[in-house]
Amino acid sequence: MTRMSVPWRPGGKQVHRGPAALVAGIAKALYATFAPLVRAFPGPLLIGAIVAVIVGVWINYLVFEFVDDSLVASSTNLAGETGLLGGPLALGEVRAGLTTSGVPGSGILCYVLYPLQYGVVRDVVSMGGILGFISVIPLYTIWWERKVAGRIQSRTGPMRVGGWHGWSQSMADGIKLICKEDLCPASADRPLFKLAPYLAFVPAILAFFALPFGTYWVFRQVDVALVFILAMLGIEVIGVILAGWASNNKWSVYGAMREACQMVSYEIPMGMALLIPIMVVGSLSLTTVGDTQSEGWTSWIVFRSPFTFAAAVAYFVAALANCKRAPFDLPESESELVAGFHTEYSGFRWSLFFFGEYAAMFVVSGLCVILFLGAWYSPLPMSLADRWGLGDSVGARAIKGLLFAGPLWFVAKCVFLLYVQIWIRWTLPRIRIDQVLYACIQVLLPLMMVLLLGHTLYELFVPVHGFVWTVFNLVLSLIGAVFVLGMIFIATYGFWNRVGLVGSLGVETLPGS
Amino acid sequence: MAPEEICIILTGEFGDGVVDTVLDACRPYAVVRVDGWSDIARFLRDDGRMRFNMLQCVTALDLLEDNKLAAVYDLFSVPVVGVGPCATLRQHFAIRVEVDRDAPHIPSVSGIWPAAEWHEREAYDMMGIVFDDHPNLTRILCPDDWEGYPLRKDYEFPLEYHGIPATTEHQLNSPRH
Amino acid sequence: MGTTVLQSGSDVLTDVEGSEQGDLRTEEMLVNMGPQHPATHGVLRVVLRTDGEMVLESVPHIGYLHRCAEKIGENLQPFQYIPYTDRMDYLAGMNNNQAFSIAIEKLVGIEVPLRAQFIRVIFAELNRIASHLVAFGTYGLDMGAFTPFLYAFREREMILDLFESTCGARLTYSYITIGGVHDDLPDRFLEVLDEFLDYFEPKIDEYNQLLSFNHIFVKRTANVGVISADDAVRWALTGPVLRASGVNWDLRKSTPYEIYDRFDFDIPIGLPGGREGVPRSVVVGDSWNRHIVKVWEMRQSCRIIRQAMAQITDGPHIAAKVKNVKLPDDEVYVEIENPRGQLGFYVRGDGSSIPARVKVRGPSFCNISVLNHVGKGCLLADIPAIVGSIDIVMGECDR
Amino acid sequence: MSWIDNRFEEGLIVTSLDWAINWGRTSSIWPMTFGLACCAIEMMAVGASRFDIDRFGAGAFRATPRQSDLMIVAGTVTYKMASRLKRLYNQMPDPKYVIAMGACTVGGGPYFKHGYHVVKGVDLVVPVDFYVPGCPPRPEALLEGLMRLQDKILHQTRAKDPMSRVRAEVLAK
């Protein structure tokens, strides 16, 4: 490939003097060292980064648990010096507390743990974690969606950008979008036009602040977390309607109106579906709901009764509609409304809508996982850990975190649900608006009422762990297991046979080749 | 039915309305007078022996040497269950209507065959034949402010359109048509 | 498109009217769909008068791709004009070449060798499959299903490979020419073709499962944009649109051209719901029938190709030199069955080697003219469903 | 001009910034679905399974000009369409690029002589970055055009008024 020669880029060296020379020298040396490495081993580096993130998350998990467990223990040992986290423990006291818990390396660890006893520090750390997570999740969901779509469509998807399977594709998209011209149509309502993307994006982030990733893994332990998250997801629609209105474009108005209809109607069955697990547990706190499902996959709420099973499916459908995913992507349906409510948006503002959408996808999947699919617990029952004699030592905690419970399980389940959403999107055609509303008001809403009533009666009259209850529980659990295993099998089969699926007739068999 | 029989029926029914019949051509046709064309069209569609229910094509012709314009209507009868009593004929015939080049007026048949609506608009756009009583006789392919009728033999190519040059030096040096 | 909504260019938009309905006042809105819109298959422009999601009027405006094909036909010799016919219905170049070639052959009186006729039939039917595949895929795209489109293109690429191995072009072939075909078949062509058919025929069922009989797809298309048989004939609709309305009319059967009378094949027509596996909500002449007729036609095309492959004979592939042939002072109008309907060529000679008049009767031109008649009172989302099922190609619509 | 362009003096920071931004822009050129005629089918083929323009990160075909970077003018531009084409081009945010795909958009193509209604080259309407000839060009040709465009983007800079230096050099000579 011949490179174009561009006249205004001088071919000669740039001359730096003084401190600039030093900085330039360091930068060049670093670039010379790392650039070949990145080019040579993109795949291992990516996998290494993922492993590092997992290990980091896991270590972090340990740290948090230690701060909570050890410090609570030590502070009570120290005759109730002060409260749990506000209390200024001296460095020595932390070390003493750690030593009594038998932690190796407590001499160094105490310096790490000491600041963590302050609420502000903990908030800052977890805020950073959440913001990082929120920016990574949409980026990689988008890349992943493009790869999955490619695989479904017998092509490859992004391959070039970043080297290994286009893993940095979304980052490139992000850089490009940020650097795009910030357009605001002349006839648009300027302030509202600029406000709308934030109104769509910020609530999706706020929802993360009450979403628990594990028993200790929540930014703010809100007692009515479920209501809070639903409210935040509900605010998103205001941003979309504002966007449609302020753009001064008829397609945008169509998109916004569709979004309004769809959101307002689907929030009702969605909320009703979520009432059922709440009824089972008796708490609106998501951490409490999650912690009741620790005894293996048969204890997950989705398999508790036929009604919860149906409610989980209905919730997933309503959630698809709620975050505008196909086949309910009417607000932005490309073949009808050009791009729907974001027709006039470009660059960074448009990417905010996208981030908001993918963040909302993760939140609704997270709600589904917490309320129905066993939250952060693995299919293995927690009691197995006790039977294996795992204590509270570091190693035992590590095994517990990886095998039985932990944010990794939560994220893995969410990612599976995201995968299902992507799968549906690239398979099904789109529904018409009257059919969307029909499906909600005539089908889902009565269904949810029946389920709600049915489940109430079921809880009232069917004794827990009685014969009927157990049979239903086991049958539903088996159905669920077969379903998930089947999907995994299909995906794996498709992956291994990805060459064969393209078809037998290739270019090389043609005459004259 | 053979074209000869159709011509015989037509001349029998309309007499002077049929100016000429051309039967030895690749595709036989009859030339009819402009003022009788509406009646002939209705007869062709409704008469039990004709049943030309489908107007396939309207071709506008520029007969520069005769100082005339013409429209050729290609008619088919397609067997459809439920349209008329004996819509089982399969025949093809063409009618030609010639008009004076200076005042090209032909009665519209879009009330008889709705398909004629767009064909007649196209003939108007390309050749400048005016179809009387047409519901919406506007240009269809060219923009509304286009000048001239492109398919006429004496059409002059435009030199620019709304500021976009339509010719290049090369084109100016080489003859057109 | 975007903010082109109220931009009217040279076309005049009427005023928006308001209507009083009790306390709520609703306003009708003029929405401009196209000429650049993902659902309009090129540069069709539809001006919609809507009341909310309801479409009161949908007026198609064409001409954004008017490429003066008829004027060019009056200035070139017929064999020079063959490449321009490719570019009319660019999804079915072979069929267009065939139509124009037949017109000139009939006008001049050229006898086409038998082998050439077989080759023509094979290529015309292959191109029919390729064209219907695009229609199938883009219709899925209009309905919001992206994946069938790529599957359709994957299969289409195989057909294009076959074309390429024969005539070197992927899209604009100019292969079928006056007096026969341009080149003979390459070696092993029929074997590979056979392999392709074996591969392709089971795929039709697969795609039907994926798209045509998908519940959502049926909901979107059944009973949408119903065209009665009477209307279809009065508006001179042809091809799959006419047959979906229940009219058994296919030029390959009713007035066979070339050697189509030698083959045994069926003509799929639109069926009412509830019979022969047709979903219950379907009625004759709706968008679903227009879609499925094309799918069944692909199967019939496979049948025709197989028979042609079995019967093909040896011999010359072109009659004689056809350059500078003098056209008699006569006129001819020839129609053949294109994938989209009946493509007609009117050619008038005046004794010289350049025609005095070439007129193209594009099936898309007639088929899309019915849009306003059909699209009254449907929903906004039905407009892509109707336009997509009518399956237009703007190249031959505007010519 | 995008908000970040033409703002900084040339220097080390700008050079690194250039590298990052050019990399981003090169790797994610989103085309607009702007199919006009025959070439549009080949453009669709480029997006389909065998050629798969998504490999280069350019597979996100956007329907609205506001979100696209590249306008592939695929097919014949007529006078009736020219005003719409210009309008769509003006609606695209900077930086924007145009590829003229096919003989008709390069210079009128087969309709050059008798096409009274055909614009003799899209560069009479909008500025064009790259011409991809062919009637229609093969998908490989369009991919080649895309890669040439990537080369061009890689050599852009954010530095202030880059031409001033060239002008000074030319004057010095």
Side-chain angles (χ1 to χ4, degrees):
Chain A
M1 190 194 298
T2 54
R3 297 264 163 189
M4 287 202 355
S5 67
V6 182
W8 56 82
R9 289 302 298 272
K13 285 177 189 167
Q14 280 182 320
V15 185
H16 300 287
R17 289 192 193 87
L22 184 70
V23 175
I26 292 172
K28 276 178 185 163
L30 283 176
Y31 185 77
T33 318
F34 285 109
L37 270 180
V38 174
R39 284 198 199 116
F41 310 105
L45 279 178
L46 172 71
I47 292 165
I50 292 172
V51 170
V53 167
I54 289 175
V55 169
V57 163
W58 173 62
I59 289 175
N60 218 347
Y61 174 65
L62 283 178
V63 167
F64 269 88
E65 266 200 50
F66 267 118
V67 173
D68 275 338
D69 287 5
S70 330
L71 292 193
V72 170
S74 55
S75 57
T76 43
N77 284 351
L78 295 162
E81 179 74 13
T82 33
L84 168 56
L85 293 167
L89 297 176
L91 202 57
E93 291 166 327
V94 178
R95 186 183 293 139
L98 289 175
T99 322
T100 37
S101 316
V103 184
S106 58
I108 304 161
L109 204 57
C110 66
Y111 290 101
V112 182
L113 293 188
Y114 174 73
L116 281 178
Q117 61 179 315
Y118 296 101
V120 177
V121 178
R122 293 189 69 163
D123 281 0
V124 168
V125 169
S126 27
M127 185 101 108
I130 284 180
L131 288 179
F133 188 75
I134 291 173
S135 41
V136 166
I137 274 284
L139 276 184
Y140 277 89
T141 319
I142 292 170
W143 169 72
W144 192 41
E145 170 146 18
R146 285 170 84 165
K147 293 304 284 186
V148 171
R151 184 65 72 223
I152 287 177
Q153 295 158 356
S154 80
R155 56 196 181 91
T156 49
M159 287 301 281
R160 299 290 176 98
V161 186
W164 182 79
H165 273 276
W167 64 275
S168 53
Q169 179 63 55
S170 294
M171 272 184 257
D173 289 344
I175 290 176
K176 180 207 74 176
L177 285 170
I178 287 174
C179 296
K180 276 290 256 193
E181 186 185 2
D182 185 20
L183 262 183
C184 178
S187 51
D189 190 334
R190 261 188 117 74
L192 293 186
F193 184 85
K194 299 207 160 171
L195 175 69
Y198 298 102
L199 269 183
F201 174 60
V202 172
I205 295 183
L206 285 181
F208 273 88
F209 287 111
L211 188 73
F213 283 58
T215 314
Y216 300 97
W217 273 73
V218 54
F219 183 74
R220 276 285 179 271
Q221 189 73 51
V222 188
D223 282 343
V224 287
L226 179 65
V227 179
F228 177 78
I229 290 177
L230 282 183
M232 286 303 120
L233 288 179
I235 290 178
E236 202 194 338
V237 70
I238 298 177
V240 170
I241 292 174
L242 268 192
W245 165 254
S247 298
N248 193 19
N249 180 326
K250 293 177 185 178
W251 298 122
S252 302
V253 173
Y254 269 117
M257 290 302 127
R258 284 182 174 187
E259 163 87 358
C261 290
Q262 197 172 311
M263 286 284 273
V264 168
S265 32
Y266 273 87
E267 290 229 312
I268 305 168
M270 187 172 158
M272 287 172 82
L274 294 180
L275 276 184
I276 290 180
I278 298 304
M279 214 155 65
V280 172
V281 179
S283 166
L284 277 172
S285 159
L286 292 178
T287 326
T288 320
V289 178
D291 276 340
T292 54
Q293 306 173 60
S294 61
E295 285 310 307
W297 53 289
T298 49
S299 74
W300 294 356
I301 293 178
V302 62
F303 304 128
R304 189 179 170 94
S305 77
F307 301 102
T308 52
F309 195 81
V313 177
Y315 167 77
F316 192 72
V317 173
L320 276 183
N322 216 348
C323 45
K324 314 186 278 290
R325 290 293 289 181
F328 299 100
D329 58 345
L330 288 108
E332 49 199 280
S333 55
E334 201 171 279
S335 58
E336 296 153 28
L337 303 186
V338 185
F341 64 87
H342 57 65
T343 303
E344 293 287 349
Y345 280 89
S346 63
F348 183 61
R349 292 179 199 285
W350 175 74
S351 70
L352 283 184
F353 281 117
F354 235 62
F355 264 59
E357 183 186 327
Y358 279 86
M361 270 167 72
F362 190 86
V363 170
V364 295
S365 305
L367 276 187
C368 189
V369 167
I370 293 172
L371 290 164
F372 292 104
L373 295 174
W376 37 87
Y377 290 102
S378 78
L380 299 173
M382 209 50 184
S383 55
L384 203 63
D386 296 337
R387 218 174 304 153
W388 287 355
L390 293 173
D392 270 351
S393 69
V394 176
R397 275 169 188 274
I399 293 171
K400 271 192 201 168
L402 283 179
L403 270 188
F404 294 101
L408 289 182
W409 276 101
F410 177 77
V411 174
K413 287 178 192 174
C414 287
V415 164
F416 179 75
L417 286 186
L418 285 181
Y419 182 49
V420 176
Q421 291 189 15
I422 292 173
W423 199 334
I424 289 175
R425 168 166 181 182
W426 295 104
T427 309
L428 290 183
R430 185 183 303 121
I431 308 182
R432 208 168 52 200
I433 183 71
D434 60 324
Q435 291 158 352
V436 167
L437 297 180
Y438 177 90
C440 173
I441 294 167
Q442 300 269 51
V443 181
L444 268 184
L445 199 58
L447 178 77
M448 286 322 304
M449 289 180 176
V450 170
L451 289 182
L452 207 57
L453 185 70
H455 191 256
T456 320
L457 298 176
Y458 189 85
E459 291 281 322
L460 261 180
F461 295 114
V462 181
V464 177
H465 296 300
F467 177 71
V468 179
W469 194 93
T470 317
V471 167
F472 267 123
N473 186 3
L474 284 180
V475 168
L476 290 171
S477 308
L478 280 178
I479 291 174
V482 167
F483 181 72
V484 170
L485 290 178
M487 279 187 117
I488 293 171
F489 170 76
I490 292 172
T492 325
Y493 178 83
F495 182 73
W496 284 119
N497 294 286
R498 60 192 187 274
V499 179
L501 288 174
V502 173
S504 59
L505 193 79
V507 186
E508 56 279 353
T509 62
L510 281 168
S513 65
Chain B
M1 200 185 293
E4 295 82 15
E5 299 172 50
I6 295 174
C7 289
I8 291 166
I9 295 173
L10 276 184
T11 39
E13 285 284 332
F14 293 96
D16 283 353
V18 182
V19 179
D20 190 10
T21 55
V22 182
L23 294 170
D24 56 346
C26 266
R27 190 269 327 252
Y29 61 90
V31 186
V32 305
R33 285 164 57 103
V34 182
D35 40 9
W37 166 225
S38 292
D39 298 333
I40 295 176
R42 189 157 283 113
F43 175 80
L44 284 170
R45 187 190 67 174
D46 292 338
D47 190 76
R49 294 162 291 180
M50 302 290 169
R51 290 281 163 212
F52 286 108
N53 49 5
M54 197 184 249
L55 173 71
Q56 282 288 40
C57 188
V58 178
T59 309
L61 299 178
D62 185 7
L63 311 170
L64 190 59
E65 55 274 17
D66 302 345
N67 199 29
K68 274 183 175 177
L69 293 176
V72 182
Y73 296 78
D74 275 282
L75 301 167
F76 278 70
S77 66
V78 172
V80 185
V81 180
V83 184
C86 67
T88 51
L89 302 168
R90 291 175 182 183
Q91 50 198 13
H92 173 198
F93 195 62
I95 300 287
R96 178 153 145 181
V97 185
E98 291 181 357
V99 284
D100 196 25
R101 205 176 149 88
D102 303 323
H105 285 270
I106 297 179
S108 168
V109 290
S110 57
I112 298 166
W113 295 287
E117 191 180 327
W118 275 32
H119 283 299
E120 288 177 350
R121 276 178 73 186
E122 193 196 336
Y124 166 73
D125 187 1
M126 292 288 122
M127 208 65 96
I129 302 177
V130 179
F131 292 90
D132 300 328
D133 302 329
H134 189 281
N136 176 28
L137 194 68
T138 50
R139 285 191 179 269
I140 186 168
L141 295 178
C142 295
D144 281 347
D145 56 353
W146 195 259
E147 283 174 14
Y149 302 105
L151 282 187
R152 287 198 180 181
K153 295 284 181 195
D154 52 358
Y155 176 64
E156 297 262 335
F157 276 39
L159 295 178
E160 63 107 35
Y161 177 76
H162 284 285
I164 307 167
T167 51
T168 59
E169 282 179 26
H170 164 75
Q171 209 178 359
L172 283 173
N173 296 333
S174 63
R176 275 184 234 109
H177 307 297
Chain C
M1 171 58 263
T3 49
T4 56
V5 162
L6 260 183
Q7 173 237 350
S8 61
S10 50
D11 307 276
V12 182
L13 300 182
T14 49
D15 264 336
V16 175
E17 304 158 18
S19 62
E20 295 277 342
Q21 287 181 356
D23 293 336
L24 285 173
R25 201 172 70 86
T26 61
E27 251 180 33
E28 287 170 5
M29 188 156 72
L30 277 178
V31 186
N32 198 356
M33 198 182 226
Q36 193 264 332
H37 186 280
T40 52
H41 291 232
V43 287
L44 173 68
R45 168 166 172 243
V46 186
V47 176
L48 307 170
R49 196 156 59 83
T50 59
D51 180 6
E53 290 268 346
M54 194 75 80
V55 175
L56 304 174
E57 196 181 27
S58 54
V59 183
H61 291 247
I62 63 170
Y64 292 93
L65 194 55
H66 176 49
R67 295 193 282 195
C68 330
E70 292 173 8
K71 190 79 181 174
I72 294 168
E74 294 173 11
N75 287 286
L76 296 180
Q77 292 189 12
F79 81 95
Q80 292 173 315
Y81 190 58
I82 291 269
Y84 289 91
T85 62
D86 274 321
R87 285 154 183 80
M88 277 173 210
D89 185 352
Y90 37 79
L91 287 175
M94 293 281 184
N95 301 62
N96 292 13
N97 297 344
Q98 190 190 13
F100 187 67
S101 304
I102 292 177
I104 298 296
E105 283 152 11
K106 203 170 165 191
L107 186 65
V108 182
I110 298 174
E111 193 69 33
V112 181
L114 193 58
R115 180 174 174 84
Q117 299 208 17
F118 274 112
I119 297 176
R120 280 182 177 193
V121 165
I122 290 174
F123 277 92
E125 295 305 317
L126 266 181
N127 211 339
R128 190 184 308 276
I129 295 175
S131 167
H132 281 343
L133 274 174
V134 175
F136 170 90
T138 49
Y139 197 41
L141 211 56
D142 288 344
M143 296 292 104
F146 196 73
T147 304
F149 166 74
L150 286 153
Y151 289 164
F153 260 71
R154 186 182 67 192
E155 264 55 284
R156 182 173 170 274
E157 287 289 338
M158 297 179 186
I159 298 179
L160 296 194
D161 282 341
L162 287 168
F163 287 167
E164 208 180 325
S165 71
T166 311
C167 64
R170 277 170 53 85
L171 201 62
T172 45
Y173 315 104
S174 309
Y175 175 62
I176 297 179
T177 186
I178 300 157
V181 293
H182 202 273
D183 291 295
D184 209 348
L185 294 177
D187 302 339
R188 289 185 51 246
F189 177 85
L190 294 179
E191 292 165 41
V192 182
L193 179 58
D194 195 41
E195 196 186 329
F196 167 73
L197 291 177
D198 288 343
Y199 165 79
F200 178 68
E201 275 183 311
K203 290 279 177 193
I204 297 175
D205 289 329
E206 209 176 294
Y207 297 155
N208 271 344
Q209 272 179 19
L210 180 67
L211 187 69
S212 311
F213 288 90
N214 181 304
H215 191 68
I216 296 176
F217 181 80
V218 174
K219 282 258 175 210
R220 279 293 306 274
T221 54
N223 209 353
V224 165
V226 183
I227 305 175
S228 68
D230 188 11
D231 277 349
V233 171
R234 288 198 309 132
W235 289 89
L237 311 184
T238 45
V241 183
L242 178 67
R243 292 192 281 277
S245 296
V247 182
N248 193 337
W249 179 259
D250 187 323
L251 288 182
R252 292 174 295 173
K253 263 286 202 249
S254 53
T255 52
Y257 52 95
E258 301 266 19
I259 45 167
Y260 273 105
D261 45 358
R262 298 189 180 207
F263 306 119
D264 171 35
F265 61 98
D266 301 327
I267 298 177
I269 60 169
L271 294 171
R275 265 196 285 155
E276 300 172 38
V278 178
R280 216 172 301 142
S281 48
V282 167
V283 297
V284 174
D286 64 357
S287 299
W288 191 84
N289 261 320
R290 285 196 283 277
H291 167 81
I292 206 73
V293 160
K294 285 176 214 138
V295 177
W296 297 141
E297 271 184 16
M298 287 198 267
R299 176 161 291 163
Q300 297 305 324
S301 293
C302 289
R303 269 179 78 186
I304 297 174
I305 295 171
R306 281 194 193 280
Q307 293 172 41
M309 281 162 62
Q311 298 175 23
I312 193 167
T313 51
D314 282 338
H317 64 272
I318 190 159
K321 195 165 173 284
V322 288
K323 284 182 186 175
N324 296 321
V325 62
K326 290 271 181 288
L327 301 175
D329 190 1
D330 197 355
E331 63 182 45
V332 69
Y333 180 75
V334 165
E335 287 200 347
I336 73 159
E337 190 70 32
N338 233 32
R340 271 159 204 82
Q342 295 171 16
L343 176 71
F345 270 99
Y346 173 95
V347 183
R348 189 180 147 74
D350 59 356
S352 72
S353 61
I354 292 177
R357 176 84 166 96
V358 174
K359 158 85 186 174
V360 189
R361 187 257 182 213
S364 303
F365 179 80
C366 299
N367 288 359
I368 198 62
S369 68
V370 82
L371 180 63
N372 192 17
H373 182 67
V374 178
K376 280 200 176 78
C378 66
L379 292 173
L380 185 64
D382 291 339
I383 292 293
I386 295 170
V387 174
S389 70
I390 290 176
D391 184 27
I392 51 166
V393 166
M394 293 315 288
E396 65 161 2
C397 189
D398 299 344
R399 300 181 296 279
Chain D
M1 181 109 2
S2 152
W3 63 268
I4 203 165
D5 287 345
N6 206 8
R7 288 207 160 196
F8 310 103
E9 296 293 338
E10 188 149 340
L12 180 72
I13 309 276
V14 175
T15 319
S16 321
L17 196 70
D18 274 348
W19 181 82
I21 291 176
N22 286 343
W23 172 75
R25 285 183 181 167
T26 311
S27 313
S28 116
I29 303 171
W30 291 355
M32 179 162 61
T33 47
F34 194 61
L36 293 171
C38 332
C39 297
I41 305 299
E42 289 299 63
M43 189 171 77
M44 281 149 83
V46 167
S49 301
R50 183 181 288 180
F51 299 99
D52 192 15
I53 201 173
D54 206 15
R55 286 177 298 148
F56 303 90
F61 278 90
R62 306 302 309 172
T64 154
R66 300 280 188 209
Q67 292 150 19
S68 40
D69 313 298
L70 168 66
M71 179 193 253
I72 303 177
V73 188
T76 317
V77 183
T78 59
Y79 286 124
K80 207 172 176 179
M81 194 67 196
S83 60
R84 318 297 163 104
L85 180 98
K86 192 164 183 73
R87 194 186 179 99
L88 286 165
Y89 177 77
N90 290 337
Q91 283 176 342
M92 285 165 68
D94 279 321
K96 51 190 171 186
Y97 311 97
V98 176
I99 287 183
M101 180 186 183
C104 299
T105 51
V106 171
Y111 303 98
F112 181 81
K113 192 172 179 190
H114 304 293
Y116 50 85
H117 193 240
V118 173
V119 178
K120 313 293 187 298
V122 72
D123 47 6
L124 297 172
V125 187
V126 294
V128 175
D129 289 270
F130 281 92
Y131 298 89
V132 180
C135 191
R138 298 179 57 88
E140 294 93 325
L142 183 57
L143 289 178
E144 177 76 15
L146 181 82
M147 285 191 269
R148 287 287 92 78
L149 180 63
Q150 289 181 332
D151 287 349
K152 178 175 180 176
I153 296 173
L154 271 182
H155 287 87
Q156 288 178 335
T157 176
R158 305 290 90 67
K160 204 181 268 182
D161 193 12
M163 285 310 284
S164 64
R165 177 194 297 248
V166 180
R167 268 184 237 117
E169 277 174 14
V170 171
L171 285 177
K173 277 174 196 168

